[in-house]
Amino acid sequence: MIRPIVHARLCSLRTSRRAIFTPYARRAFSNAHARKEDPRLQDIGRSLKDEYAVVRDEYDTPKHTVVLAHGLLGFDELRLAGQFLPGIQYWRGIKDALAEKGIEVIVAAVPASGSIEARAMRLAEDIAQKAQGKAVNIIAGTEVVLDNRTQLNDCSGLDSRYMISRLKPGNVRVLSLTTIATPHRGSAFADYMFDTIGPRQIRRLYRIMEYFGLETEAFSQLTRTYMKEEFNPKTPDVEGIKYYSYGASLEPSSWSVFALSHSIIKQREGGINDGLVSVASSQWGDYKGTLVGVSHLDLINWTNRLKWFFWELTGSKRNFNAVAFYLDIADMLAKEGL
């Protein structure tokens, strides 16, 4: 169901993008300059710049099963050519790396779209079926960017929070939830999309999505107003469950897929972000720190290897390895006794 959406150009900016892509939006921002001028950077917690550049030799193994939950429009495995070719793994290399360290891993499968409530119900059912009563630690990942016009925020952290707090499934025992670049307080880019596209075009987009069998409720749930006034007040943390979170910051070049969304969030929220979610919105529970120079695609190991090849040719070193990052999360869970 993903491929037709690309052709339908979901959230298309064909006309509006040229109009609003101002010189300010094209500007590439400097990390060094931002650190000197922006006092809000004191709120980013621990700055994680090179900690996950390479995989270490040793990682502790958590006692309990790890559940990997994908974001909005994500999938566990996508097969574009049926059984004739290998499927595309959402968690590219991450699941296998965790398993090689002796960690029991469950990849949760939930609808690619739909309301937080519907996805949370499916998440609970999937964990109950696959975990068979075992206690689990949930790691909620990010979304997929389908093309340079289709950018959607992570929802799996919100699905998990709703499941834990509101559904309270008796056959699912959650010990911890770790969210990665989740818009716990909504996203200014979601606000922008609704403001720019307008009600008439929104209805048209929804009809296109529904034609391809996708539900549409989740998109309006990512706005800052909805999160502030509806979701967060009604979805408190559950005592006894540990909540961890990470954010990410990116200063994209003018030709980056995240250039437009980054500038919009920076203008509207006034803080650093990873191109889709601000650091302030990512923070929930025990905030473990901000990944510096890391995009949403980097976070799920979808970054083009060619990018790093040319990056290293310039004399720069690779500063982030998603496999090392997830192994370190597992190591953190182990050290917490989970």
Side-chain angles (χ1 to χ4, degrees):
M1 304 302 289
I2 301 295
R3 189 177 182 86
I5 301 175
V6 180
H7 294 301
R9 298 191 182 277
L10 176 63
C11 296
S12 175
L13 300 177
R14 279 180 294 183
T15 57
S16 61
R17 180 173 177 140
R18 289 192 296 270
I20 54 87
F21 207 92
T22 62
Y24 179 82
R26 292 190 181 99
R27 187 183 309 161
F29 298 99
S30 164
N31 269 332
H33 176 73
R35 289 177 183 279
K36 291 179 181 178
E37 300 298 332
D38 194 341
R40 287 169 295 248
L41 290 183
Q42 64 186 356
D43 299 326
I44 71 171
R46 191 161 61 107
S47 178
L48 305 170
K49 190 171 184 181
D50 298 310
E51 280 82 349
Y52 310 119
V54 297
V55 176
R56 302 196 309 266
D57 292 331
E58 299 293 333
Y59 292 92
D60 288 346
T61 301
K63 300 176 183 177
H64 301 284
T65 302
V66 167
V67 174
L68 299 177
H70 66 69
L72 191 62
L73 292 190
F75 47 86
D76 53 352
E77 183 179 52
L78 179 64
R79 288 188 174 274
L80 301 177
Q83 302 300 317
F84 298 104
L85 293 174
I88 301 172
Q89 300 292 326
Y90 180 86
W91 302 94
R92 298 175 64 176
I94 294 170
K95 175 187 175 183
D96 291 342
L98 292 171
E100 286 175 5
K101 296 295 183 181
I103 302 168
E104 183 175 4
V105 183
I106 290 174
V107 176
V110 300
S113 65
S115 67
I116 292 173
E117 294 83 357
R119 287 165 53 91
M121 289 183 64
R122 185 66 187 93
L123 178 64
E125 293 169 0
D126 201 50
I127 294 176
Q129 179 184 3
K130 294 176 179 177
Q132 294 292 306
K134 297 177 183 176
V136 300
N137 298 298
I138 300 176
I139 301 177
T142 61
E143 93 304 330
V144 173
V145 177
L146 300 178
D147 64 14
N148 63 350
R149 297 177 179 86
T150 308
Q151 300 177 342
L152 297 161
N153 295 322
D154 168 67
C155 212
S156 60
L158 306 180
D159 302 339
S160 301
R161 283 179 54 202
Y162 187 93
M163 179 194 73
I164 294 167
S165 179
R166 306 280 292 278
L167 298 183
K168 298 182 173 67
N171 52 356
V172 175
R173 184 186 169 201
V174 179
L175 301 178
S176 71
L177 169 62
T178 302
T179 59
I180 304 165
T182 291
H184 292 288
R185 293 165 186 82
S187 170
F189 188 64
D191 296 343
Y192 163 81
M193 293 303 296
F194 281 95
D195 293 345
T196 303
I197 295 174
R200 183 175 179 180
Q201 291 299 321
I202 287 291
R203 288 193 294 271
R204 182 181 178 186
L205 282 171
Y206 281 180
R207 285 196 296 270
I208 293 172
M209 292 180 65
E210 289 161 0
Y211 175 81
F212 291 111
L214 294 171
E215 299 178 17
T216 57
E217 294 91 337
F219 302 103
S220 62
Q221 293 178 323
L222 296 176
T223 63
R224 288 180 292 173
T225 297
Y226 181 83
M227 292 303 299
K228 179 180 179 180
E229 298 179 1
E230 294 290 331
F231 186 84
N232 286 334
K234 298 177 182 178
T235 314
D237 291 350
V238 174
E239 187 175 355
I241 294 178
K242 295 186 177 181
Y243 294 79
Y244 306 103
S245 60
Y246 293 83
S249 67
L250 178 71
E251 295 296 338
S253 60
S254 58
W255 57 84
S256 168
V257 66
F258 294 107
L260 175 62
S261 54
H262 181 277
S263 65
I264 288 168
I265 295 172
K266 191 158 188 169
Q267 290 178 56
R268 294 194 172 203
E269 295 190 39
I272 60 174
N273 64 86
D274 66 355
L276 286 178
V277 181
S278 69
V279 167
S281 189
S282 299
Q283 298 184 26
W284 197 263
D286 183 357
Y287 188 64
K288 291 298 183 180
T290 301
L291 300 159
V292 177
V294 177
S295 76
H296 252 52
L297 289 182
D298 294 331
L299 288 169
I300 53 172
N301 207 28
W302 274 59
T303 305
N304 190 334
R305 292 181 182 178
L306 197 60
K307 163 193 167 182
W308 293 116
F309 173 74
F310 285 111
W311 182 259
E312 291 170 356
L313 283 181
T314 66
S316 302
K317 66 176 182 178
R318 180 170 180 169
N319 70 314
F320 182 75
N321 183 320
V323 170
F325 175 54
Y326 280 87
L327 285 171
D328 195 80
I329 292 176
D331 182 82
M332 178 271 293
L333 295 172
K335 288 179 169 56
E336 293 285 337
L338 300 169

